[in-house]
Every structure is written in structure tokens, then in C-alpha cells.
Amino acid sequence: MQNSEDSVLSLLKKSEEFLKRKNIPSPRLDAELLLADLLKIPRVKLYVDFERPLSLIEKDAYRERILERSKSRPTAYIIGKKSFFDSEFYVDQNVLIPRPETEELVAWVLEDFSKGQGSLEILDLCSGSGCIGISLAKPKANWIVHFSDVSPEAMNITKRNSSEILGGDRKIEFFESDLFSSIPKDKSFDCIVSNPPYIPEKEKGEIMPDVLNYEPHLALFLSDFEEFHVKLLGQGFPFLKEGGRLYLETHPEYSGWLREAALKVGYSDAVLRKDLSSKERFLRLTK
Ligand code: GLN
């Protein structure tokens, strides 16, 4: 026997309350995302069918998901996907979950290159899910996009998303590389974009459990912010064409330092940009 207790609406409400008690930051949204994915319907469709009863199997599976989320496991890892820019990316614990700030970085690059029609060579450095390079490649059919990541597991996910979202016919190259060390020396790029790890390890204590206990530390933390970035800036310079650009997402408290460090390396026209929370999170450099 089904009763109203088993309806979409009542289960959403109960789950939201449970997640709220467990201090999960966006309890309603997560309850909805987890249920919509389970029922294989778009999230808005939940409210069209809000009296729809769930079967016993569906209820058990949903309970399992809500329990996982209550232990801080990110919703994106539970459902294995995250929306970013205008695509949906497969994600698991080998890659960072794409963040809304990074969408602003992609938008900046597209804005700067909106006029040119040429076939540009682009590199997404530390590609992870591939969200940056794939979002750039999608509207720019003649751009040649390259991806690099130090982690072979992450590289596999970049490849998977790239073939699912861009299809198999695009001219794309993948490099498993510690920064630029394994990228062939004869390559040169019009534009390099990167959201590298940028949280100093000493800030680990301030990071929320969703991130700290589940996301790959390799993609997040640095033991020495300055050393890593001096290396990135120095190694990257010879890979840029004259007039080429390097875009970085970075730690707002280190962005001023990073700008100065880049000018010392020889980059010019170093422009900082704030994110939507008014934090200086992006840097654009020109060679
Ligand atoms: N480029 C990916 C992202 O922006 C991964 C970044 C990383 O691993 N540091 O989400």
C-alpha cells in the first residue's frame, strides 16, 4: 500500500529537514538533485509530479543517497555529474567538482576572443574534469584544444568528458604532465588557461568537510604556493606565442603577489579580475 507519506513532496521535505539537522549547506537543493537523478527526470519535473508515490526500491535507494549526503559526501559525487557552463560533466573522486567561479574564468576567455575567427591553439593546464577546455572548445569549433593533468586518473576523466561532450571528431591532444614538463617543446599556444591547485596546506583546517574529506587533495592544496607558481609561470612562458595569453584562477589573498611574480618572469599587461563575490580571483597575463 502506498500513502501520501511516500510522495515526492513528502520525501523531499523529510530529507531536507534531515540534511538541515546534519548542517548540510543547501539541504533542499541537494534533496531535489538526488531525487531527480534517481528518478531520471529533470529537477523541475519533480514539482509537476509532486504527488507521485515512490516504490519501495526507489525509497530505499533515495534513503541511501540522503544518508551519504548527510555524511558530507558531495552530491556531485553521489550522482556522478555536475553542471558547468553549458554542459554536464562526469565527475568522481579523482577530480575536483567544477566550481561556479571557474565559469567566470571561461566567460572571460570567450569574451576576449569573441571577435577572432582564427583557429587558435589552446591549453587547459591541470584539466581535471576538463570543464575549462571543453567549455571553450564547444562554442569554438575551429579551436585546437590540448589538455594536461599530472594525474592519469584525472586524465581519463578529461578524455571521457571530452568525447561525450565534444564528440570524437575534434582535433584534441592530451598530455599526462607535471605542469609543462611532458608537453612537447615544439608546442606553442595562443592561450593557456588554468585553475591549478592554489590553497596553501596551512589553510586545511578552514576547509569544509565536503571538500576536505572527498575531493582530491592533489587538485586543491599546495605545500608551497610561491614555489609552485614560480614554476608554472616560468615553464609556461616559452610555450606561449608572442602576444599569447595565460589566464589563471587563484587564491584571492595571493593574487597581488602572483601578479608581481608574473611581471618579474617577463609577462606584461597583468590584469586582475574579481569574481562575483568581489574577490580578486583571476589573473590575465600577456606575453
Ligand atoms: N580544471 C578543473 C577545474 O577547474 C580542475 C582543476 C584542478 O584540478 N585544480 O575544475
Side-chain angles (χ1 to χ4, degrees):
M1 258 283 286
Q2 300 281 5
N3 57 48
S4 62
E5 293 255 301
D6 304 322
S7 74
V8 161
L9 201 60
S10 109
L11 286 170
L12 277 178
K13 201 157 180 285
K14 271 196 275 186
S15 303
E16 177 188 5
E17 279 159 14
F18 177 67
L19 293 178
K20 201 186 243 163
R21 280 201 302 280
K22 299 283 180 179
N23 295 318
I24 299 301
S26 38
R28 182 68 181 199
L29 176 65
D30 287 354
E32 290 178 3
L33 286 168
L34 291 166
L35 186 56
D37 177 73
L38 182 79
L39 301 178
K40 297 190 173 47
I41 55 172
R43 190 161 63 93
V44 286
K45 193 87 183 357
L46 290 171
Y47 293 96
V48 178
D49 266 350
F50 64 90
E51 281 175 335
R52 171 199 194 286
L54 266 68
S55 70
L56 259 181
I57 293 173
E58 287 169 338
K59 271 202 304 181
D60 281 349
Y62 188 47
R63 191 176 301 118
E64 190 65 37
R65 287 177 162 212
I66 292 294
L67 209 59
E68 279 288 294
R69 183 67 191 110
S70 77
K71 295 176 199 154
S72 291
R73 186 173 165 79
T75 299
Y77 289 150
I78 302 174
I79 64 179
K81 63 185 180 209
K82 176 75 185 174
S83 294
F84 177 89
F85 218 69
D86 57 4
S87 305
E88 197 156 78
F89 290 81
Y90 168 79
V91 288
D92 66 26
Q93 280 185 241
N94 291 301
V95 293
L96 207 70
I97 300 167
R99 306 288 202 269
E101 299 89 281
T102 311
E103 295 179 315
E104 297 176 52
L105 181 67
V106 170
W108 191 8
V109 178
L110 288 174
E111 186 185 305
D112 283 354
F113 289 91
S114 63
K115 292 203 181 71
Q117 300 298 322
S119 162
L120 301 187
E121 302 262 356
I122 311 284
L123 172 67
D124 176 355
L125 181 78
C126 310
S127 57
S129 62
C131 62
I132 296 177
I134 293 169
S135 302
L136 291 173
K138 206 173 161 184
K140 297 285 188 184
N142 58 353
W143 284 12
I144 301 167
V145 183
H146 308 70
F147 296 89
S148 79
D149 201 289
V150 66
S151 147
E153 292 81 14
M155 201 17 74
N156 283 335
I157 295 176
T158 299
K159 286 181 184 163
R160 171 177 176 165
N161 281 320
S162 152
S163 84
E164 267 168 28
I165 298 167
L166 301 174
D169 298 338
R170 285 296 289 259
K171 209 165 168 216
I172 292 169
E173 276 192 87
F174 303 95
F175 307 112
E176 200 183 303
S177 176
D178 183 2
L179 291 176
F180 292 87
S181 59
S182 304
I183 298 183
K185 296 275 175 288
D186 60 351
K187 286 275 162 204
S188 62
F189 303 104
D190 297 282
C191 173
I192 302 173
V193 193
S194 186
N195 173 25
Y198 60 69
I199 306 172
E201 257 165 16
K202 59 176 191 289
E203 292 182 13
K204 263 188 188 168
E206 300 157 34
I207 304 294
M208 60 196 256
D210 302 40
V211 177
L212 196 63
N213 298 340
Y214 292 94
E215 296 200 71
H217 287 197
L218 186 64
L220 287 164
F221 297 111
L222 292 172
S223 57
D224 189 329
F225 181 96
E226 285 88 349
E227 186 188 278
F228 176 91
H229 280 85
V230 164
K231 207 162 129 186
L232 189 162
L233 293 169
Q235 287 185 1
F237 196 76
F239 281 98
L240 272 182
K241 294 181 188 169
E242 261 343 285
R245 282 185 160 164
L246 169 60
Y247 295 79
L248 292 172
E249 181 173 326
T250 197
H251 193 302
E253 282 166 31
Y254 287 74
S255 54
W257 177 89
L258 190 61
R259 184 178 178 277
E260 294 308 311
L263 292 171
K264 276 189 209 139
V265 169
Y267 294 92
S268 57
D269 187 30
V271 179
L272 285 167
R273 194 185 258 209
K274 292 192 168 89
D275 66 15
L276 291 173
S277 331
S278 298
K279 294 193 168 133
E280 251 171 18
R281 195 176 296 276
F282 312 111
L283 177 64
R284 186 188 72 194
L285 303 165
T286 306
K287 177 167 170 178

